[in-house]
Every structure is written in structure tokens, then in C-alpha cells.
């Protein structure tokens, strides 16, 4: 005698992904790294030339403010221009859908044919999606332009992330001098640890070996500081 035991239905598990299109990660990472490396290199160059903590503070504060403002302005302009271009191309696609809906539907059918669907199924899918003009627009924009019309990058988010991240990174090598340090040793140790730590943290966020990201950023920062310190030492300028 066979007894059938009903197996309870469990919904299929779906894995989730992190947001990779928010527009904040790239300017934040770039800003923090740029702030830390550039201000550390700037301070190293000034100390190498003058050997005074007062000059390092002046250079570090100026580098922090100027760099953060420059980064924010650059990111805002860049992302704003990119977004305006995207919106212009989306408008072109909207006009084409209004002028030539049959041609756009055939275009969508051909696209799904290249994705492996047979002719009849590809046409059914294209016709179903094209029934709603707004849905059709979203599909065409995603497929042809590779962007989500409902989630375009924000220039304000990019600028704000870049400004704050650069200022935070630039503050690291400056902080020891604000608390009275006169030489480069303390700032060097703090900056090296921060370079490695931040590089490792970013590597973990992007699923790469943490030690590889840390070492890579450490090498880049040390190389930049060594060059500017060497140039400053050669200049041998005294700042009173």
C-alpha cells in the first residue's frame, strides 16, 4: 500500500542584488580616495619644502576646501550633462513611438528574435508590450539606450557625495597638524593606515580580495606622496 504524502509548496528563493546604479558609489569612492591621496601628497610636498606644521595646515585646509568644491562642481556638471543627454534621447524615442508605432514594434520584435525567441512569440511579446505607450517607451529605452528612464542619475547626489567624501578623505592627513603635529611622521602613519583601510573596504564592497584593494591603494598613495615630497625637498622653500 502506497501512501502519498503531500509536500508543502514553498516559493522559489530569489536572490537579491545591491544597488549598482544609484549614482553615489563612484563619486563617493573617487572623492574620498582623491581627497586622501591629493591632500596627503600636497601636505607632504609643503612639509618637504618648508618643514613647518603651520604651512602644512594652511596648505591642507586650502587643499581640502578647493578640492572638495572642485570635485562637487565637476561631478555635478558631468552627471547633469549625462542626464540631459539621456533625457534628450528618451524624447527622441518617445517621438518615434508616436510617429511610427508599427516600425518600433517591428524593431522590438527583431530585438527579441536576436534574444532567442521564435518569430511568433517575439511578435506576441512586442505587441503585448507596445499596447501601453509608456511601457513601450520604458522597454525601448532600456533595450536601446541601456538606461532606466525611471532611475536616472542625480547630479545633486553625485555632487554632494563627491564633496563630502573628498572633504572626509582630505581631513585624514590634515588632522594631526590641526592637533599640533609639526612633522610628517604622524600624518604619514595615519594616512597609510587610512589608505589601506579604505582600499580594503572598497574591495569588500565590490567582492574583491580586501588585502589586494588595500595594498593597491597604499602603493598609489605612497607613490604620489613620495613624488611631491621629493619635489618639495628639492625646492627648499621656507614659508614664514
Amino acid at each position: 500500500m502506497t501512501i502519498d504524502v503531500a509536500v508543502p509548496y514553498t516559493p522559489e528563493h530569489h536572490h537579491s542584488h545591491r544597488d549598482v546604479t544609484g549614482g553615489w558609489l563612484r563619486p563617493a569612492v573617487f572623492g574620498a580616495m582623491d581627497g586622501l591621496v591629493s591632500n596627503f601628497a600636497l601636505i607632504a610636498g609643503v612639509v618637504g619644502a618648508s618643514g613647518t606644521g603651520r604651512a602644512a595646515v594652511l596648505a591642507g585646509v586650502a587643499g581640502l576646501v578647493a578640492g572638495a568644491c572642485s570635485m562637487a562642481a565637476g561631478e555635478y556638471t558631468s552627471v547633469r550633462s549625462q542626464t540631459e543627454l539621456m533625457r534628450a534621447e528618451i524624447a527622441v524615442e518617445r517621438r518615434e513611438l508616436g510617429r511610427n508605432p508599427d516600425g518600433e514594434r517591428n524593431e522590438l520584435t527583431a530585438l527579441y528574435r536576436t534574444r532567442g525567441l521564435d518569430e511568433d512569440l517575439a511578435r506576441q511579446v512586442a505587441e503585448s508590450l507596445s499596447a501601453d505607450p509608456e511601457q513601450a517607451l520604458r522597454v525601448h529605452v532600456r533595450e536601446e539606450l541601456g538606461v532606466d528612464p525611471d532611475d536616472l542619475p542625480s547630479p545633486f547626489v553625485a555632487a554632494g557625495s563627491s564633496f563630502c567624501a573628498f572633504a572626509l578623505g582630505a581631513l585624514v592627513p590634515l588632522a594631526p597638524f590641526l592637533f599640533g603635529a609639526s612633522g610628517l611622521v604622524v600624518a604619514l602613519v595615519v594616512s597609510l593606515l587610512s589608505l589601506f583601510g579604505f582600499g580594503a573596504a572598497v574591495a569588500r564592497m565590490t567582492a574583491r580580495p580586501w588585502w589586494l584593494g588595500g595594498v593597491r591603494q597604499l602603493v598609489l598613495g605612497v607613490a604620489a606622496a613620495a613624488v611631491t615630497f621629493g619635489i618639495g625637498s628639492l625646492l627648499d622653500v621656507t614659508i614664514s
Side-chain angles (χ1 to χ4, degrees):
M1 178 178 177
T2 303
I3 300 176
D4 295 329
V5 178
V7 178
Y9 171 76
T10 56
E12 183 182 355
H13 172 70
H14 294 281
H15 64 278
S16 59
H17 293 282
R18 290 170 291 180
D19 178 20
V20 297
T21 61
W24 64 270
L25 181 60
R26 184 190 66 84
V29 170
F30 180 60
M33 290 294 191
D34 191 22
L36 203 165
V37 173
S38 64
N39 221 30
F40 177 46
L42 175 62
I43 290 172
V46 171
V47 172
S50 67
T52 65
R54 180 185 175 192
V57 170
L58 177 62
V61 171
L64 187 156
V65 175
C69 291
S70 176
M71 286 288 295
E75 282 294 335
Y76 177 85
T77 302
S78 173
V79 176
R80 181 64 181 266
S81 300
Q82 179 187 24
T83 303
E84 288 174 347
L85 176 60
M86 291 178 183
R87 293 189 187 281
E89 291 303 311
I90 291 172
V92 170
E93 193 63 37
R94 186 185 295 275
R95 287 195 297 270
E96 285 301 312
L97 283 168
R99 293 172 181 172
N100 186 17
D102 292 336
E104 292 296 302
R105 186 164 53 250
N106 291 335
E107 185 178 282
L108 203 57
T109 300
L111 186 143
Y112 286 123
R113 289 281 291 122
T114 64
R115 299 286 176 85
L117 300 184
D118 60 53
E119 178 69 30
D120 291 338
L121 182 56
R123 185 165 298 280
Q124 290 177 17
V125 172
E127 290 177 353
S128 178
L129 293 174
S130 300
D132 181 356
E134 288 301 316
Q135 177 67 22
L137 176 65
R138 293 187 182 92
V139 172
H140 278 276
V141 169
R142 291 191 184 102
E143 296 290 353
E144 297 178 29
L145 302 179
V147 299
D148 185 349
D150 299 320
D151 190 26
L152 298 180
S154 167
F156 296 102
V157 171
S161 300
S162 184
F163 182 93
C164 294
F166 186 98
L168 182 62
L171 186 61
V172 171
L174 175 61
F177 294 97
L178 294 176
F179 286 98
S182 57
L184 195 60
V185 176
V186 178
L188 174 64
V189 173
V190 172
S191 297
L192 292 182
L193 291 175
S194 298
L195 283 167
F196 183 87
F198 195 80
V202 172
R204 292 290 295 172
M205 290 174 60
T206 55
R208 291 180 291 114
W210 63 269
W211 59 267
L212 180 61
V215 170
R216 181 176 63 182
Q217 194 57 41
L218 183 61
V219 170
L220 293 174
V222 168
V227 170
T228 53
F229 182 83
I231 294 174
S233 299
L234 292 174
L235 291 176
D236 192 22
V237 177
T238 300
I239 301 177
S240 57

